[in-house]
Amino acid sequence: MQRFRFSLCMTALLALATVGCGKSASESAAEKVVESAMAAQGQKADVSIDSDSMKVTTSEGTMSIGEGTKVPDNWPSDVPVYAGVKLVTAFSTPEGAALQGTTTDSAAKVESFYKDQAAKNGWTEDASVKQGEMVSLIYKKEKRVLSVITTRTGSETSVAISLSNQ
C-alpha cells in the first residue's frame, strides 16, 4: 500500500506539472501518461485531470491532488472537516482516508474546533501533543482512529486529517 501511495503521488505530481489551464489536449495526454505509468506497475487506474486538480481512481481507492480537491463523497459524517481549510490532497481506501490542506486561521482555532467537534461526534481523545508550532490530536471511536495534525508556518496553518481502521 505504501509503494502504491508513493508511486501514485510521484506520478500525480509529474502529471500536474505538465498541465495548464482548462481542459486541453495536454490534460488528456497527461491523463494517459498517468494511466500508462500505473499500468506499468500492474495497477489499472482511471485518471481525470482538469485545470486545478487531478483525481485517480483504482481498485484500491481514490486520490485527488490540487487546488480543486474536495472532500470525498464517502467521507464519514462523524469525522469533522474544518470549514476554513483549502484542501490540496484527499485519498480514501478501504483501510482509511486522509485530507490535507491549509487555512489562514490560527492553529489554536483549528485545534479548538477539533477538540469540540470530535467530542460532539462521539470521539474520545486518546492523545494530545504540542511541540512548538505543531499540534497532534489522536481520537478513537469504536475500531477507528482519527488523527489531526496542525502546523503553523508563516501566515498559514497546515491541517492533516487521517482516519484509519484498527
Side-chain angles (χ1 to χ4, degrees), residues 18-145:
T18 65
V19 177
C21 295
K23 188 70 168 179
S24 65
S26 68
E27 288 172 341
S28 295
E31 289 172 358
K32 300 291 184 221
V33 166
V34 175
E35 290 171 352
S36 294
M38 297 296 292
Q41 297 177 30
Q43 188 71 256
K44 184 179 182 324
D46 178 39
V47 179
S48 175
I49 298 175
D50 62 31
S51 63
D52 60 357
S53 66
M54 178 175 79
K55 182 175 182 179
V56 178
T57 304
T58 72
S59 62
E60 292 185 34
T62 62
M63 179 174 208
S64 298
I65 300 172
E67 292 180 10
T69 298
K70 306 265 189 277
V71 175
D73 293 337
N74 63 346
W75 189 258
S77 61
D78 65 341
V79 178
V81 177
Y82 188 71
V85 71
K86 180 179 173 185
L87 296 176
V88 293
T89 306
F91 84 85
S92 63
T93 69
E95 295 85 26
L99 301 174
Q100 194 279 321
T102 60
T103 180
T104 55
D105 292 342
S106 71
K109 186 173 180 180
V110 176
E111 176 186 4
S112 177
F113 168 82
Y114 276 97
K115 284 185 174 273
D116 179 56
Q117 291 301 307
K120 284 182 181 177
N121 285 302
W123 291 91
T124 302
E125 186 174 303
D126 191 50
S128 176
V129 178
K130 292 183 183 186
Q131 187 172 15
E133 296 294 319
M134 188 215 51
V135 174
S136 177
L137 305 170
I138 309 285
Y139 298 93
K140 290 187 177 178
K141 182 178 182 181
E142 298 155 0
K143 294 188 177 194
R144 299 180 297 158
V145 176

Side-chain angles (χ1 to χ4, degrees), residues 5 11 14 43 80 86 146 158:
R5 282 192 214 138
T11 304
L14 173 65
Q43 188 71 256
K86 180 179 173 185
L146 171 63
S158 174

